[in-house]
C-alpha cells in the first residue's frame, strides 16, 4: 500500500480540497475519502495519470465532469511510477519523458538520418514513379513548350532536318507516338529527345559520324528516351519534393504548374544510369531489328567518349 496526501478537484467547482489517498497495488485501486460523501474507489485502469512538473495528476471521468487529484509527494510519485513501469502500464508519452538526454540525442540523430535517407532516395524514387500518374498528353504539352523556347534562339537547318526525317522514316524505332526530327546548326557534339517525340540533333555530332549505322544507333537511343518517358521521369525526380507534396494534397494542377516551370530543363537533363542503360539496350535492339551492323553503337560511343564521359551520360 502507498499512502499520501493530495488535493482533490471535483470537476464542478474550482475549490480544492485536501484528502488522504492510498494506492492498493494488488487490487490496482486508488482509495480516498471523498469530501462530504463516503469513501471513493478509482480503478487504476479507469483513470488517466500524468507526471507534469514533478506533480502527479490523476483524472477520473464522473458523469459529465472530470475529477482530478494532484499529488506532490515525491516518494509516493517515485514508488507509483516504478509500479506502473514494472507492470507495463506506463504510457508511451511517460516513457519518452523518462528517457535521458543521451537517449533523446540518439533518437534525434536516428530521425534525422531516416529523414536524410528518405529525402535523398525515397523522395526522388516517389517523384519518378509519380510520372506514371501523369497522362501522356502532358508529354506533348511540355515537349512542345520546351521546343518552342529552345528554337527561339536556335538555327534550324531545314534541309538536313528533312534528310534526317527521311532517314528515320526507313527505320523501325519501336515508337508509339510520332517522332519529329530537327537538325540544329551548332558545333556542339550532342543530341537530345523531348517527351513530345521531338528529337534534336546538332550538326556537331553528325560531323563526327563515319557510317550510317552510327546515326541509326543515335536515333534508336534517343527514341528509347521518348518511348520510356525518361525525360518526364527525370524531371519529376529532380523536383520530387514539390511533386510529392502536390500529389499528397491531390493537386494535379499544382503538379503540372511545377513541372511547367522547369520545361527549360528538359533538353539538358542528365539521365540516371538505369535510364541510359535502358536507352543503350533499346538502341542496340533497334539496330538488330533493322538488320544494321550493331558495331554502329560501339563506334558512336567510341567517338563520343573522346569528348568526355559527361557527354555520353547526357546523350
Amino acid at each position: 500500500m502507498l499512502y499520501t496526501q493530495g488535493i482533490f478537484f471535483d470537476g464542478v467547482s474550482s475549490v480544492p480540497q485536501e484528502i488522504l489517498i492510498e494506492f492498493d497495488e494488488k487490487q490496482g485501486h486508488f482509495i480516498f475519502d471523498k469530501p462530504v460523501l463516503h469513501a471513493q474507489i478509482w480503478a487504476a485502469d479507469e483513470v488517466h495519470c500524468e507526471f507534469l512538473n514533478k506533480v502527479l495528476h490523476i483524472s477520473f471521468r464522473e458523469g459529465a465532469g472530470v475529477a482530478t487529484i494532484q499529488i506532490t509527494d515525491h516518494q509516493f510519485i517515485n514508488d507509483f511510477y516504478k509500479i506502473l513501469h514494472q507492470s507495463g502500464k506506463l504510457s508511451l508519452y511517460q516513457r519518452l519523458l523518462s528517457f535521458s538526454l543521451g537517449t533523446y540525442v540518439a533518437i534525434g540523430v536516428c530521425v534525422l538520418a531516416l529523414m536524410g535517407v528518405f529525402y535523398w532516395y525515397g523522395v526522388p524514387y516517389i517523384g519518378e514513379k509519380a510520372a506514371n500518374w501523369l497522362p501522356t498528353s502532358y508529354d506533348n504539352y511540355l515537349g512542345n513548350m520546351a521546343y518552342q523556347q529552345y528554337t527561339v534562339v536556335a538555327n534550324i537547318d531545314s534541309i538536313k532536318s528533312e534528310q534526317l526525317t527521311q532517314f528515320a522514316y526507313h527505320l523501325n524505332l519501336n515508337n508509339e507516338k510520332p517522332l519529329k526530327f530537327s537538325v540544329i546548326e551548332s558545333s556542339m557534339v550532342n543530341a537530345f529527345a523531348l517527351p513530345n517525340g521531338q528529337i534534336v540533333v546538332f550538326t556537331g555530332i553528325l560531323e563526327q559520324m563515319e557510317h550510317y549505322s552510327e546515326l541509326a544507333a543515335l536515333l534508336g537511343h534517343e527514341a528509347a528516351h521518348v518511348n520510356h518517358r525518361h525525360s518526364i521521369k527525370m524531371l519529376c525526380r529532380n523536383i520530387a519534393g514539390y511533386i510529392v507534396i502536390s500529389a499528397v494534397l491531390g493537386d494535379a494542377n499544382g503538379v503540372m504548374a511545377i513541372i511547367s516551370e522547369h520545361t527549360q530543363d528538359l533538353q539538358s537533363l542528365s539521365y540516371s544510369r538505369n535510364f541510359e542503360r535502358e536507352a543503350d539496350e533499346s538502341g542496340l535492339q533497334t539496330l538488330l531489328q533493322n538488320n544494321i551492323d550493331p558495331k554502329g553503337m560501339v563506334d558512336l560511343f567510341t567517338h563520343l567518349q573522346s569528348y568526355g564521359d559527361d557527354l555520353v551520360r547526357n546523350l
Side-chain angles (χ1 to χ4, degrees), residues 108-124:
V109 170
C110 290
V111 170
L112 290 175
L114 290 175
M115 291 176 62
V117 170
F118 179 72
Y119 178 80
W120 289 109
Y121 298 100
V123 171

Side-chain angles (χ1 to χ4, degrees), residues 229-295:
R229 304 184 75 193
H230 287 165
S231 56
I232 292 294
K233 292 178 180 179
M234 284 305 301
L235 186 59
C236 288
R237 180 174 180 174
N238 290 348
I239 54 176
Y242 302 104
I243 296 292
V244 170
I245 292 174
S246 296
V248 169
L249 296 177
D251 184 9
N253 291 329
V255 172
M256 284 310 305
I258 294 167
I259 295 178
S260 297
E261 292 176 2
H262 292 77
T263 52
Q264 67 273 14
D265 299 331
L266 284 172
Q267 74 273 11
S268 59
L269 285 174
S270 179
Y271 296 114
S272 68
R273 290 184 178 180
N274 288 337
F275 286 172
E276 286 294 355
R277 185 182 303 111
E278 189 172 29
D280 291 343
E281 292 174 352
S282 295
L284 182 59
Q285 189 65 31
T286 295
L287 295 180
L288 295 174
Q289 288 177 349
N290 289 274
N291 297 316
I292 298 175
D293 187 357
K295 187 175 180 293

Side-chain angles (χ1 to χ4, degrees), residues 86-159:
Q86 293 173 355
S87 63
K89 295 182 178 180
L90 202 61
S91 67
L92 177 61
Y93 173 72
Q94 297 299 336
R95 290 178 185 275
L96 290 175
L97 290 180
S98 67
F99 289 163
S100 65
L101 177 61
T103 302
Y104 284 121
V105 171
I107 293 175
V109 170
C110 290
V111 170
L112 290 175
L114 290 175
M115 291 176 62
V117 170
F118 179 72
Y119 178 80
W120 289 109
Y121 298 100
V123 171
Y125 176 80
I126 293 173
E128 183 180 311
K129 294 302 180 183
N132 297 326
W133 177 64
L134 297 174
T136 55
S137 59
Y138 286 130
D139 295 29
N140 296 333
Y141 170 76
L142 294 175
N144 292 336
M145 185 185 301
Y147 184 71
Q148 291 172 4
Q149 293 176 357
Y150 188 78
T151 53
V152 169
V153 295
N155 188 10
I156 299 177
D157 188 322
S158 57
I159 296 178

